[in-house]
Structure formats: C-alpha cells, structure tokens
Amino acid sequence: MRQKIVAGNWKMHGHLSANEALVEGVLAGVSVVSAGVVVCVPFPYLAQCARLLVGTPVALGAQTVSEHEKGAYTGEVSAGMLADFGCRYVIVGHSERRTLYAESDAVVAAKFVAAQAAGLTPILCVAEREAGQTAAVVLRQLDAVVARAGVGALAQAVVAYEPVWAIGTGRTATAMQAQEVHLAIRARIAAGSPEIAAGVRILYGGSVKAQNAAELFGQADIDGGLIGGAALVAEEFLAICRAAS
Ligand code: PEP
C-alpha cells in the first residue's frame, strides 16, 4: 500500500504575514491526516517556512532548482542550497517552467539528477497540453528522465501528472481520464522495473479541490495530488489532505 502524498504548490504567491497564517492553519489540522503533506514555497520564504515547519509532519519543498551545482548562473538556486534550508522536496518540470521558461526534457532530467544528488526528492511533473494527446507527451517526458537517471532513480522520486488544460482553469480531468494516464505511466515504469512501478507515487494535479479530491484519490493509480490554487487556503488544503488519508 503506497502512502499518499499531497503537495501544495504556492506558485508565486505569499508574503510574510500571509504565509505564517497559512502554515499555522495547515498545522492546526494536520494531526488527523495520514497522507504525507508537503508545501512548495517561493525561494524567499524557504527560511521562514523552514522555521515554521521544523518538528512538524509537514515537509518543505521548493518549486524549481538549478541543474548546476554552483558557479556563474546569476539568479539560480542550487539543490544544495535548498537542502541547506531544510527542503526535502523540489518540483521539477512543472508545465509553467517547461512553457514559460523553455525548460526542455533534457534540462528537466538534469534538474532531477541535481535534486537527487543533494538528497532531495524530486516531484517530477509530466503534462500534456490537450485532452486526448495524453500518453505520448507524458511518456516522452518520463522517458527523458529515465534515460538520464535510470529507472532505479524513481524509487526516490514522486511523479505528478498534470493536464495543462486543467491547471488553474477549474477544469479537472475526470477520475477515469486521470486514472488511465496514471496507469500508462505506471506501466511504462513497470517495463523497466515492476518493483519500482509498484512503489512510486504518482500524483494528479489540475484544479483539485476538496469536492473532487476523494474521487480522484480513490483511483487505483492516483497516489495523491499536486495542488495549486487550493493550497493557498488552509481549510481547503486540509480537506484535500483528509481526502487522501
Ligand atoms: C499546479 O500548480 O501544479 C496546479 C495543479 O494548480 P491548480 O491546482 O491551481 O490547478
């Protein structure tokens, strides 16, 4: 039985006082949640959130990472720096990064490797643009990481399937549509290693809300969610976490 994970992606939202209230709100209700809970916050708030989360069951994550270890990469943040701030997770290959910042499959694979080298667990996002394209694009993105890191690397990673048309739009894949893609992802991993495929957590992301979470998370191959907008409201996020528990 795979433990479910719910990861909040705050995207570029937050300020000091709002973050404190949000994290405290989540912590107030997290004791009844058996799923793993992660919050992925903007870089400037890592120190604040690390302080708020220390000794709690909620893990800290970041939203992207440099593929480089150090050097002349102005503005970039390395995986070692994230680890220094208490991060345990980092999102790599979010569709917004792939689209707005032209991150290729190869760059995403390099970020995945860099994250693991620093001891972080990458949350590898794979996404398709239009309903119906699904498997081909998602599997190509997955294959790029497996080709670079090896299928064994997925034992220390989380995969997140996010239909681009569902992110922040209020449109969600039906539980059956999502399950079909999750199954295809797991089958692809199983072709390399059935053991790793059986253990890897595959999250669904795209307009998950308290009201649709239970049905999505009830599918055999959906092991939790990557949550954007709903992660900014403590009660809503907690309700999603409870649905995964
Ligand atoms: C996301 O940011 O990865 C996401 C899934 O956003 P939302 O839940 O708002 O669709």
Side-chain angles (χ1 to χ4, degrees), residues 9 11 91 94-96 125 162 166-171 204-209 226-231:
N9 173 14
K11 309 198 189 199
I91 298 171
H94 192 280
S95 66
E96 287 154 16
C125 294
E162 300 206 296
I167 298 177
T169 59
R171 291 171 61 203
Y204 169 79
S207 296
V208 177
K209 305 275 180 272
L226 180 56
I227 318 298

Side-chain angles (χ1 to χ4, degrees), residues 46-73:
L46 287 173
Q48 178 198 22
C49 293
R51 176 176 53 76
L52 293 168
L53 295 175
V54 73
T56 77
V58 177
L60 183 63
Q63 299 171 13
T64 186
V65 64
S66 173
E67 63 272 40
H68 304 290
E69 198 185 324
K70 62 182 167 189
Y73 302 104

Side-chain angles (χ1 to χ4, degrees), residues 3-9 33-40 58-59 89 123 158 201 203-204 208 213 217 223-227 230-231 236-245:
Q3 187 204 23
K4 287 190 168 37
I5 295 187
V6 178
N9 173 14
V33 171
S34 63
V37 180
V38 184
V39 289
C40 298
V58 177
Y89 292 84
I123 301 174
V158 175
R201 270 77 62 88
L203 313 186
Y204 169 79
V208 177
F217 300 164
D223 305 309
L226 180 56
I227 318 298
E236 182 81 11
F237 186 62
L238 278 170
I240 293 169
C241 294
R242 285 194 298 271
S245 296

Side-chain angles (χ1 to χ4, degrees), residues 134-187:
T134 51
V137 176
V138 160
L139 297 180
R140 186 204 74 215
Q141 293 173 350
L142 178 68
D143 288 349
V145 170
V146 171
R148 171 84 194 249
V151 70
L154 292 175
Q156 303 301 330
V158 175
V159 177
Y161 162 61
E162 300 206 296
V164 175
W165 48 269
I167 298 177
T169 59
R171 291 171 61 203
T172 325
T174 65
M176 267 174 62
Q177 277 172 327
Q179 163 60 21
E180 205 178 299
V181 182
H182 282 234
L183 183 60
I185 292 170
R186 202 176 301 284

